[in-house]
């Protein structure tokens, strides 16, 4: 049986793992129970009602968090000519073509995000075996293979994160830092949930958004979500109207329309305290 430190056990004793907390309560508990000496990442794990073993139920995508991730994102772009100049103007940290590809092949990985134009993918594919295991391989599904490199670089610098369901159907993502204000963490989580609802596979059956857990890097995880009013997302609704689908997001995860004065200013901007639990 794994042994934990005294600080970890003390943090674990401060909350009831069997109790379901509202999102605001869970965020506050996670922030208070953080005992690391550095500014830890604030993470979420969302349990989806999908089976990624089936190709038509894989959930994958990307979203720009409204308040960023709190991390400096080093962006590398594989491009030539005008597109290389566009990437540099947008603020890319490293831009190049064949010479840069050889540098990466040699074991250089001082970057966090990799973007490529489609005409460079034949050459980039040759280093796929070193980029892929590190999660750095450009992919058109998440917008990192594109001719619009300026917009891709801007999004990456602004706090764009990628998500992908693991084999158990769980999404793991860092949505900020412990030092973020609670409202900013809440807004980032709302943006991620909205992206997940939009990405709901048409073949997924039953409850799609099952539970949400929040934690910091070294802290114990909060109890998973329950609550809600028993409604489920009708078949196909998340693709037809993702905003409306927010109001039918499962018997454990219900999101209502934003208040008019909410700073996010979208239908997903406000999460009902009495409904959305973690």
């Amino acid at each position: 049986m794994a042994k934990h430190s005294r600080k970890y056990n003390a943090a674990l004793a401060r909350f009831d793992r069997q109790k379901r907390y509202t999102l605001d309560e869970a965020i506050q508990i996670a922030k208070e129970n953080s005992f690391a000496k550095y500014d830890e990442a604030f993470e979420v794990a969302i349990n989806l009602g999908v089976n990624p073993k089936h190709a038509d139920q894989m959930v994958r995508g990307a979203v720009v968090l409204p308040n960023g991730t709190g991390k400096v994102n080093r962006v590398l772009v594989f491009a030539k000519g005008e597109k290389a100049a566009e990437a540099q103007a947008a603020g890319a940290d490293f831009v190049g073509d064949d010479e840069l590809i050889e540098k990466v092949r040699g074991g250089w990985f001082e970057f966090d995000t990799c973007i490529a134009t489609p005409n460079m993918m034949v050459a980039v594919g040759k280093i796929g075996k070193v980029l892929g295991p590190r999660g750095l391989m450009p992919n058109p599904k998440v917008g990192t293979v594109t001719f619009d490199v300026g917009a891709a670089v801007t999004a990456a610098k602004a706090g764009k994160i990628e998500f992908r369901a693991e084999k158990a159907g769980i999404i793991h993502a860092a949505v900020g830092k412990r030092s973020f204000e609670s409202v900013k963490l809440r807004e980032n989580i709302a943006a991620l949930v909205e992206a997940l609802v939009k990405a709901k596979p048409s073949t997924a059956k039953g409850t799609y958004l099952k539970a949400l857990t929040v934690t910091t890097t070294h802290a114990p995880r909060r109890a998973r979500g329950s609550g809600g009013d028993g409604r489920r997302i009708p078949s196909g609704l998340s693709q037809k109207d993702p905003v409306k689908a927010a109001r039918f997001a499962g018997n454990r995860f219900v999101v209502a329309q934003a208040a008019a004065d909410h700073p996010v200013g979208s239908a997903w901007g406000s999460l009902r305290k009495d409904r959305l639990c973690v």
Side-chain angles (χ1 to χ4, degrees):
M1 181 177 179
K3 293 184 178 180
H4 296 293
S5 67
R6 285 180 294 176
K7 290 183 178 179
Y8 183 96
N9 289 330
L12 194 62
R14 293 192 188 107
F15 70 96
D16 184 356
R17 299 192 72 177
Q18 301 303 316
K19 179 181 177 181
R20 287 356 185 193
Y21 295 88
T22 66
L23 182 59
D24 289 336
E25 289 174 339
I27 290 174
Q28 189 60 35
I29 293 173
K31 288 166 68 71
E32 292 175 351
N33 277 358
S34 176
F35 53 82
K37 295 182 179 179
Y38 68 96
D39 192 12
E40 299 174 87
F42 197 93
E43 304 171 0
V44 298
I46 302 176
N47 189 3
L48 302 179
V50 297
N51 185 357
K53 293 181 180 179
H54 301 292
D56 57 359
Q57 290 193 37
M58 171 55 69
V59 177
R60 183 174 186 176
V63 60
V64 178
L65 300 179
N67 300 299
T69 62
K71 177 182 176 182
V72 177
N73 194 11
R74 299 166 297 177
V75 180
L76 178 149
V77 178
F78 292 116
K80 295 181 179 180
E82 294 181 358
K83 293 301 176 182
E86 181 183 340
Q88 289 178 332
D93 298 280
F94 310 101
V95 181
D97 44 38
D98 296 333
E99 184 177 344
L100 193 56
I101 289 174
E102 290 303 315
K103 186 176 180 179
V104 174
R105 191 199 301 270
W108 177 78
F109 298 102
E110 300 298 322
F111 55 94
D112 304 300
T113 300
C114 184
I115 298 170
T117 53
N119 60 342
M120 287 294 300
M121 284 307 295
V122 173
V124 174
K126 297 176 181 179
I127 56 174
K129 290 185 179 180
V130 295
L131 291 177
R134 293 174 172 82
L136 295 172
M137 187 66 182
N139 190 312
K141 293 182 179 180
V142 294
T144 49
V145 177
T146 176
F147 279 118
D148 192 1
V149 291
V153 171
T154 300
K157 288 289 187 179
K160 182 178 180 180
I161 62 169
E162 298 178 10
F163 56 83
R164 180 175 182 172
E166 63 172 33
K167 61 182 180 181
I170 300 174
I171 296 288
H172 296 276
V175 294
K177 294 287 187 178
R178 179 188 62 187
S179 59
F180 278 27
E181 296 177 3
S182 296
V183 65
K184 291 185 177 181
L185 291 171
R186 199 163 181 265
E187 290 170 357
N188 281 355
I189 293 172
L192 174 60
V193 171
E194 178 181 2
L196 290 175
V197 172
K198 290 180 179 179
K200 179 179 183 290
S202 59
T203 55
K205 305 299 181 183
T207 302
Y208 177 54
L209 299 170
K210 291 185 174 181
L212 183 150
T213 304
V214 299
T215 185
T216 54
T217 304
H218 294 292
R221 291 186 180 274
R222 305 286 76 73
R224 293 187 303 167
S226 62
D229 57 5
R231 295 180 294 176
R232 297 188 177 187
I233 301 178
S235 178
L237 178 58
S238 61
Q239 283 76 27
K240 297 176 182 177
D241 189 348
V243 172
K244 186 177 180 181
R247 304 166 197 162
F248 295 89
N251 59 358
R252 295 189 175 187
F253 215 110
V254 178
V255 182
Q257 188 171 0
D261 59 350
H262 195 277
V264 174
S266 72
W268 274 82
S270 178
L271 306 181
R272 287 172 58 186
K273 297 179 182 178
D274 60 334
R275 290 300 186 199
L276 182 59
C277 300
V278 297

